[in-house]
Structures are given as structure tokens and as C-alpha cells.
Amino acid sequence: MQKLLMLTAVDVRRAEVAGSSRVTTIDKLTIPPIKFASATHNPGGGVMAVDFNLPRIQALEPAFAVRGVDIDIFSGFGKADRWVFAGAYRDKSGKHYGGRAIIEGAVSDWEPDQSAPTEFQGCNHIIREVTHFELQLDGEELWYIDFEERIMRRRGEDLFAEVRQVLGA
């Protein structure tokens, strides 16, 4: 039976900068959806069009929101950096599991919420130009995708290995 895992805590931090945890200001984070790119085939003599999956994905756009203004975000804003999105999950028995997304990309959007003096102002951040993405749960690799290496693994299976081989790379 599938384990029921409940998210209990999150954090976002720069991977190589000590003390960059946002654990007390983070409001939410968004692990980006993974969508395969597709090619549409609509044969003139056929009865339907088909969108065939390609061994590549669409651009990833992870995001996070904080409460208050995150001054650190302006250091390197628009420049690629390495980020860790961390999550703590708990199952029904109380056992905890660590979730990690390691992301290389640039915070490219900063959008403060509408606010009032009686509320914490929130700020939303979107990471674009993502060239590296890893997703792990309890130490198990679920996804490993790297633009430069031309590797896309799903639970250890390299979905692009044969393509690299036939290209001679």
C-alpha cells in the first residue's frame, strides 16, 4: 500500500551560502511540474491527432513565497545560483522523511503582495533559466535532469541515454 506522507515543514536556501535558510520566513514553495515536451502528428488520412511525448521536458519554473521582504534575494537577483528546496514529511506512524529539490537557476521575478500596515507583506519569487533539477525523497532519487550534461533520469533510468549514444556524444 502507498504511504501517506504529510508535509510538515519547508525551507528554501542558497545551496552554497551558510545561514541563508528562510525557515522562519518561508510561506510556501512550489516544486515545478514536470511536463514532457510533445510533437503533434495530425495525419491527413487519419482519424485523430496524437501528441507524442519527446525525451525532453518543458522549462521548469520553481517558485517560493516569503513573509516580509527578503533582502538577501537582491544579492545576485537575475543571476543563476544553486538553491535547495527542502521539505519534511511524516507518515501515519510518525516517521519523518526528508525531501530535497536541488535547483540551479536565476530568481527572475520578484512580486510583493498587496499589503497593509496590519499584515505581514508577502513576496513571491520565481526561478527561471533552470539548467539543473534534482528531486529526492528519503535519499531516493526521483528525478535528475541536467541541461549541460544532457541527462534526464527518472528513478535511476536515463531517458536520454540512447539518444546521446546514437548522436555519438
Side-chain angles (χ1 to χ4, degrees), residues 4-6 8 89-97:
L4 174 63
L5 298 178
M6 184 169 59
T8 60
Y89 295 87
R90 182 177 55 102
D91 68 14
K92 290 190 322 181
S93 74
K95 181 181 177 191
H96 283 86
Y97 301 84

Side-chain angles (χ1 to χ4, degrees), residues 14 71-79 81 83:
R14 292 179 194 272
I71 302 297
D72 176 63
I73 212 66
F74 299 109
S75 300
F77 184 78
K79 181 181 173 192
D81 206 343
W83 296 87

Side-chain angles (χ1 to χ4, degrees), residues 4 12 29 41 45 62-63 71 76 82 88 117 123 127 141 146 150 161 166:
L4 174 63
V12 171
L29 58 81
H41 177 59
I71 302 297
R82 190 169 175 92
C123 295
I127 299 176
E141 178 185 276
D146 192 279
R150 295 184 314 131
V166 298

